[in-house]
Amino acid sequence: MPPGLRKLTLTVHLSCSVGWIGAVVAYLALGVSAVTSQNTETVRAAWIAMELTGWFVIVPLALAALLTGLVMALGTPWGLFRYYWVLITLMLTILATVVLLLHMPTVSSLTDTARAADADDLRRLGGDLLHPGLGLVVLLAIMVLNVYKPRGLTRYGWRKQQEQRHKQHQQRTASAR
Ligand code: HEM
């Protein structure tokens, strides 16, 4: 990938992935309000905002972070299967995205209930802070992994590196002749 395109793709990748983390923090704040507030309208509004944030901000950002991450890996020397940090990032991002997509219908059905519920029902509605809380921990772990980029090579990455070195050695001896 040419350097200019790489910078552009990285900018989009960072906007999506860091935006995803920020949106989950906002979702958690709404979740805490939905679970703890004694005010009926606050609880109802929090659920409606959580559903909207989930479907229209968090889900698109998660898919975009995954997609741009794939482009970054495949379009740069990092590759998708060469370094453990990229492979672990891929698996954790897929896991976080799948859990998110499986969890969102529950958020929608709780929001539907909240829309029609009276004060007593709303107090009993409860909520789930575990999924977004654990999701945030996983996203922060991915963030650390992506910034530090530990150098460990996979077996495939090691083989590719050897092939490359061998090719460079052959080219050097051919040009020296
Ligand atoms: C929540 C998900 C993700 C977060 C928070 C995240 C975060 C980041 C950050 C902060 C960087 C910049 C690091 C730096 O240059 O110092 C980065 C770069 C990178 N990310 Fe991600 N990322 C995510 C998902 C993915 C996925 C799914 C992949 C692919 C499997 C991926 C592959 C890469 C690659 C290859 C780079 C290096 C780009 C380069 O050297 O130009 N990321 N990511």
Side-chain angles (χ1 to χ4, degrees), residues 1 6-7 9-10 13-14 16-21 61-62 64-80 85-94 96-97 138-149:
M1 195 188 295
R6 182 170 174 174
K7 275 255 185 299
T9 317
L10 183 60
H13 178 57
L14 288 180
C16 300
S17 52
V18 180
W20 181 6
I21 295 175
L61 285 177
L66 180 58
L67 191 73
T68 52
L70 285 172
V71 174
M72 287 308 321
L74 294 170
T76 63
W78 289 113
L80 196 52
W85 77 264
V86 180
L87 211 53
I88 296 170
T89 293
L90 178 64
M91 289 188 299
L92 289 179
T93 307
I94 290 175
T97 308
V138 171
L139 293 182
L140 290 175
I142 297 174
M143 180 76 160
V144 171
L145 211 52
N146 278 247
V147 171
Y148 282 86
K149 303 185 180 76

Side-chain angles (χ1 to χ4, degrees), residues 11-141:
T11 306
V12 179
H13 178 57
L14 288 180
S15 307
C16 300
S17 52
V18 180
W20 181 6
I21 295 175
V24 172
V25 174
Y27 182 95
L28 264 171
L30 292 167
V32 170
S33 176
V35 171
T36 58
S37 176
Q38 299 300 315
N39 184 298
T40 312
E41 288 317 309
T42 303
V43 175
R44 210 189 310 276
W47 275 107
I48 294 170
M50 279 157 74
E51 190 195 21
L52 288 171
T53 312
W55 282 119
F56 296 113
V57 182
I58 300 180
V59 168
L61 285 177
L63 295 175
L66 180 58
L67 191 73
T68 52
L70 285 172
V71 174
M72 287 308 321
L74 294 170
T76 63
W78 289 113
L80 196 52
F81 304 111
R82 292 181 186 197
Y83 290 87
Y84 281 114
W85 77 264
V86 180
L87 211 53
I88 296 170
T89 293
L90 178 64
M91 289 188 299
L92 289 179
T93 307
I94 290 175
L95 176 77
T97 308
V98 168
V99 172
L100 169 68
L101 291 174
L102 291 176
H103 182 62
M104 277 314 295
T106 310
V107 174
S108 286
S109 95
L110 283 169
T111 305
D112 285 344
T113 309
R115 271 198 184 95
D118 61 22
D120 281 342
D121 288 341
L122 271 178
R123 228 167 282 129
R124 268 182 263 113
L125 195 59
D128 167 26
L129 297 176
L130 188 73
H131 278 95
L134 284 180
L136 183 61
V137 172
V138 171
L139 293 182
L140 290 175

